[in-house]
Amino acid sequence: MTVARAIEVEGHVIDSGTLQRCMTTIMDLGGDFDVEQFDVGRHKHAESYCRMLVMADDEETLHEILHELHQTGAHVPNPRDARLEPAPADQVVPQGFYSTTNHPTQVRHDDEWLDVERIEMDCAVVVDPDADGGPRAYTKVLNAIEAGDLVVADEFGVRVDPPDRPRGGSGPFGFMQGGVSSERPSESLIEDVADVIREAKADGGTVLAVTGPALLHSGAGPEFARLVREGYVDALSTGNGFAVHDIERNIYGTSLGLNVETLESPRKGHKHHIYAISEVIRAGGIEAAIEDGVVDSGVMYDCVQQDVDYVLAGSIRDDGPLPDTITDAVEAQNAIRDQAHEADVVIMLSTLLHSVAVGNCLPSTTPVICVDIDPSTVTQLLDRGSSQAVGMVTDVGTFVPTLADKLIDQDDE
């Protein structure tokens, strides 16, 4: 006995590959399909529409196919309202609950579609039917679920809308359809990145930088600090190590005990980062150390001077840590989440762990630029689902100064 269900896909489904992915998914999972209607957009701004009947040998196989198609943006015609079930206890969700993607999502409630607020991957969706101003739907991580929260219990009545690939390569975001690149000319790509940041700032947007200590060890710290000073970085997400080595360089002129300018290792240089931590703790924190004159330059100095929001997320590897470092993992994750949801552009510079942490919190519509000398780092980040992303396999020590020159020097001309 064959079971069947109709689905619809619409948008730029041909050039974005959505239609091909749907057909491949159906066949790979043992199903079949019959295209009932296909209206092709006849110019580059026109959307296409396809309705197909999905068939399988049994309900279980059909449900599995529909689940996968749902992730790609396929919709079931005439959907019912989403099924809501109360959370039975704090941090406990109903079995089979809907787990989000990072794509724009809507939930059907009382025959109306509600946009899901603060969308990110791997969350539950909670509906508040009695919210001020009308019903609302929003994401919650599992550790934030409270007993009685009305949780979306399955994927029916949920609509996912993966963003289309940029068309025509025009505009400041057009180049971001290129994926990972180690061969395209870095100079032109950095110019494109500068245009993205410049456009975001012109529109009043927020630029979030995600950085690792390698940026400092490469010698690019002063140029990154210049970007902070000139207003091109609005928020910084990093770890204890980045702040420690930035302050170490300011106080002792070294990074990891090595003089970045001369590449010499001074006597007791291997202790400089511990000494730097001690001085900041003695002062009572980074801002206090700046007020006391202990720290008078560097990235952290300029962040404080320019009132740039920074999050230092701790780890079990940290020395010290600095008083400003958030050592509670859940608290750090929530702080990163707030930064991610406020960001209009994210630039990730040579840090896999912090980039993954921020990437997990980002909606797929936020433009992301990931720069790392290791191709696997860039690939892993971009494989997490952002369609508005570009990866550059290049030395961050070259990238940051070039970006600063293009943003600051060209804007001053």
Side-chain angles (χ1 to χ4, degrees):
M1 177 179 175
T2 300
V3 291
R5 189 73 179 267
I7 64 162
E8 299 173 323
V9 287
E10 54 188 323
H12 300 294
V13 299
I14 300 174
D15 57 301
S16 67
T18 299
L19 186 59
Q20 179 183 350
R21 286 195 299 273
C22 287
M23 293 176 174
T24 301
T25 296
I26 295 169
M27 292 184 290
D28 286 349
L29 294 177
D32 200 357
F33 62 89
D34 181 26
V35 175
E36 298 181 331
Q37 182 180 346
F38 192 15
D39 301 325
V40 179
R42 299 193 178 278
H43 57 81
K44 70 177 184 178
H45 297 299
E47 296 186 347
S48 300
Y49 169 86
C50 180
R51 177 187 173 101
M52 64 176 73
L53 189 66
V54 180
M55 296 164 282
D57 291 336
D58 52 68
E59 286 286 353
E60 183 178 353
T61 303
L62 180 62
H63 183 81
E64 183 181 1
I65 293 172
L66 292 176
H67 170 78
E68 294 301 323
L69 293 176
H70 176 268
Q71 308 299 310
T72 67
H75 307 147
V76 175
N78 305 314
R80 59 169 171 80
D81 282 354
R83 182 165 60 88
L84 307 178
E85 289 187 15
D90 290 350
Q91 302 184 10
V92 179
V93 292
Q95 289 186 337
F97 77 102
Y98 175 74
S99 178
T100 57
T101 69
N102 61 349
H103 299 312
T105 301
Q106 293 180 313
V107 171
R108 193 167 180 83
H109 177 71
D110 281 348
D111 296 328
E112 293 186 0
W113 289 105
L114 305 178
D115 291 329
V116 177
E117 302 167 17
R118 293 175 67 87
I119 192 67
E120 62 178 276
M121 65 173 67
D122 301 332
C123 292
V125 176
V126 172
V127 174
D128 182 357
D130 302 318
D132 293 340
R136 56 185 288 253
Y138 52 92
T139 59
K140 266 194 174 185
V141 292
L142 297 192
N143 62 46
I145 290 291
E146 298 175 289
D149 280 344
L150 293 177
V151 179
V152 175
D154 57 35
E155 63 199 25
F156 295 103
V158 179
R159 187 162 64 187
V160 176
D161 185 22
D164 289 318
R165 178 184 300 172
R167 296 172 62 80
S170 60
F173 300 99
F175 83 102
M176 300 188 76
Q177 59 188 303
V180 179
S181 174
S182 59
E183 298 180 354
R184 284 181 291 167
S186 292
E187 188 80 14
S188 61
L189 270 179
I190 297 173
E191 182 66 55
D192 289 333
V193 172
D195 287 342
V196 169
I197 294 174
R198 195 178 288 117
E199 182 82 5
K201 296 300 298 179
D203 292 339
T206 296
V207 177
L208 170 62
V210 185
T211 60
L215 185 153
L216 304 171
H217 306 331
S218 72
E223 290 301 305
F224 183 75
R226 190 159 70 112
L227 287 170
V228 174
R229 222 166 29 247
E230 296 295 330
Y232 290 103
V233 176
D234 302 291
L236 175 66
S237 183
T238 188
N240 181 76
F242 179 89
V244 167
H245 293 300
D246 175 66
I247 293 169
E248 174 197 346
R249 172 165 180 154
N250 170 249
I251 298 177
Y252 299 104
T254 59
S255 179
L256 267 182
L258 187 70
N259 188 302
V260 177
E261 305 298 332
T262 65
L263 300 183
E264 296 177 349
S265 181
R267 184 172 177 271
K268 294 186 178 181
H270 63 287
K271 298 182 179 180
H272 284 174
H273 70 290
I274 292 293
Y275 291 162
I277 292 170
S278 176
E279 292 305 309
V280 174
I281 293 174
R282 191 189 323 279
I286 294 174
E287 189 168 349
I290 291 171
E291 292 175 355
D292 292 348
V294 176
V295 177
D296 59 12
S297 68
V299 175
M300 301 312 300
Y301 174 87
D302 284 313
C303 283
V304 171
Q305 296 299 103
Q306 300 300 320
D307 197 27
V308 168
D309 173 55
Y310 62 85
V311 170
L312 307 183
S315 78
I316 60 174
R317 308 180 313 278
D318 288 339
D319 290 321
L322 295 170
D324 305 75
T325 299
I326 303 173
T327 56
D328 183 292
V330 173
E331 182 184 348
Q333 189 181 72
N334 288 335
I336 289 171
R337 181 170 288 111
D338 288 341
Q339 286 187 317
H341 284 287
E342 291 295 323
D344 296 290
V345 173
V346 179
I347 181 166
M348 300 174 170
L349 303 170
S350 292
T351 171
L352 174 60
L353 296 179
H354 288 281
S355 294
V356 168
V358 174
N360 286 347
C361 301
L362 288 170
S364 63
T365 51
T366 301
V368 176
I369 301 104
C370 178
V371 181
D372 202 290
I373 198 66
D374 184 353
S376 64
T377 297
V378 180
T379 301
Q380 182 172 338
L381 261 293
L382 301 192
D383 281 349
R384 299 191 70 80
S386 177
S387 65
Q388 287 280 42
V390 64
M392 292 184 62
V393 180
T394 190
D395 176 24
V396 72
T398 300
F399 174 85
V400 171
T402 306
L403 179 64
D405 288 343
K406 291 187 178 298
L407 278 172
I408 298 168
D409 295 344
Q410 290 186 15
D411 287 356
D412 289 341
E413 291 178 359

